[in-house]
């Protein structure tokens, strides 16, 4: 039940985003680094040690970034026939997006490329594409800007208000500081609250908790990507 906030500029394919990762804190992982030098040289990301894939990956040389978010599905396959979704972000930044029926559980794959930003959504029967238009948007386990997602309904207007106008925004830190401040405000809610972005999902039947967040500025031929690990899973402070 991860969360991404993204601001897309038009034209040119540049974007800024804040991505919060929710995962089982007992599942081993590695913070931001170049973990795939043989198969994906130059790619940086957050690595899942168990499956070897990535939750978030970026290729600065090509100006590509991808983030994987889980969503519900209607997949009816035995566990030993289901493929890990961890390859999706790595393949995406290599220019190979998923296509057609997939032996994978449901996902939203946010792709930022020099051609623009889009979300590929898989529910077990259909792979849909949604372009991300200019402006500030949010996505989690439903559709882009979906008002059924309580945290989007609660916080999207705040993130939009905190984004400086691009024409006169000043230093890059302005948007990062603004969005991180909103994220901190949201953490005043209980992490079990449906509106919370920094989350403890165990009350909802999932073992996942918010572990870290990343900020990224993506433009053609460049990605500035940074991460911050939360001191305690599911807690801001």
């Amino acid at each position: 039940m991860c969360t991404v906030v993204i601001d897309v500029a038009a034209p040119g394919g540049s974007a800024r985003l804040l991505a919060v990762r929710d995962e089982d804190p007992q599942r081993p992982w590695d913070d931001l680094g170049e973990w795939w030098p043989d198969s994906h040289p130059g790619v940086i990301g957050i690595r899942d040690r168990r499956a070897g894939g990535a939750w978030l990956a970026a290729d600065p040389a090509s100006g590509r970034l991808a983030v994987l978010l889980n969503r519900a599905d209607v997949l009816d396959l035995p566990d030993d026939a289901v493929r890990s979704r961890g390859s999706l972000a790595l393949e995406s930044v290599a220019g190979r997006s998923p296509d057609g029926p997939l032996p994978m559980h449901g996902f939203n794959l946010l792709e930022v490329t020099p051609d623009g930003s889009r979300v590929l959504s898989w529910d077990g029967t259909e792979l849909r594409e949604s372009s991300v238009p200019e402006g500030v948007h949010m996505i989690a386990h439903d559709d882009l800007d979906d008002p059924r997602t309580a945290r989007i309904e609660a916080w999207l207007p705040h993130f939009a208000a905190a984004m400086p106008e691009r024409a006169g925004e000043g230093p890059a830190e302005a948007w990062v500081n603004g969005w991180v401040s909103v994220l901190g405000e949201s953490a005043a809610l209980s992490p079990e609250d449906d509106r919370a972005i920094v989350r403890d999902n165990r009350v909802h039947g999932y073992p996942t908790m918010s572990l870290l967040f990343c900020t990224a500025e993506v433009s053609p031929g460049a990605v500035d990507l940074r991460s911050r690990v939360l001191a305690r899973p599911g807690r801001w402070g």
Side-chain angles (χ1 to χ4, degrees):
M1 299 176 75
C2 306
T3 308
V4 175
V5 188
I6 182 169
D7 172 51
V8 173
S14 65
R16 295 160 167 181
L17 63 87
L18 180 149
V20 180
R21 186 190 188 209
D22 295 354
E23 183 53 89
D24 183 346
Q26 302 305 312
R27 185 171 178 129
W29 58 280
D30 292 301
D31 196 8
L32 201 59
E34 294 188 35
W35 300 112
W36 309 272
D38 297 327
S39 60
H40 297 85
V43 169
I44 56 177
I46 307 292
R47 180 174 68 166
D48 172 57
R49 288 186 201 164
R50 185 183 298 174
W55 161 68
L56 176 152
D59 181 5
S62 65
R64 290 177 176 270
L65 181 145
V67 189
L68 178 67
L69 305 95
N70 294 347
R71 70 177 292 153
D73 63 60
V74 293
L75 196 67
D76 186 19
L77 282 176
D79 288 346
D80 60 1
V82 176
R83 220 170 77 210
S84 169
R85 293 166 287 195
S87 62
L88 292 169
L90 291 171
E91 289 296 288
S92 173
V93 299
R96 297 184 290 269
S97 299
D99 183 26
L102 300 159
M104 295 178 177
H105 285 300
F107 61 79
N108 287 322
L109 181 67
L110 173 65
E111 298 185 317
V112 182
T113 76
D115 297 322
S117 299
R118 66 176 183 171
V119 178
L120 297 175
S121 299
W122 169 246
D123 64 2
T125 59
E126 181 185 13
L127 184 66
R128 295 184 292 112
E129 176 183 343
S130 304
S131 63
V132 183
E134 182 179 3
V136 178
H137 306 275
M138 287 181 70
I139 189 165
H141 54 278
D142 290 313
D143 292 338
L144 186 71
D145 298 336
D146 198 324
R148 294 174 298 174
T149 309
R151 76 199 88 148
I152 293 177
E153 182 79 359
W155 294 105
L156 179 55
H158 296 268
F159 283 109
M163 175 55 70
E165 293 293 330
R166 284 181 177 263
E169 60 196 345
E173 289 77 12
W175 76 270
V176 173
N177 292 340
W179 278 11
V180 172
S181 291
V182 174
L183 185 60
E185 280 180 55
S186 77
L189 294 168
S190 163
E192 298 177 344
D193 193 307
D194 242 5
R195 299 166 295 168
I197 300 174
V198 176
R199 304 181 60 80
D200 182 343
N201 295 306
R202 292 175 297 180
V203 71
H204 303 292
Y206 303 96
T208 58
M209 306 169 77
S210 298
L211 302 181
L212 65 95
F213 67 88
C214 291
T215 58
E217 188 152 9
V218 186
S219 57
V223 178
D224 181 8
L225 178 60
R226 305 178 190 191
S227 69
R228 176 179 149 189
V229 178
L230 301 180
R232 294 186 300 160
R235 296 293 188 274
W236 181 249

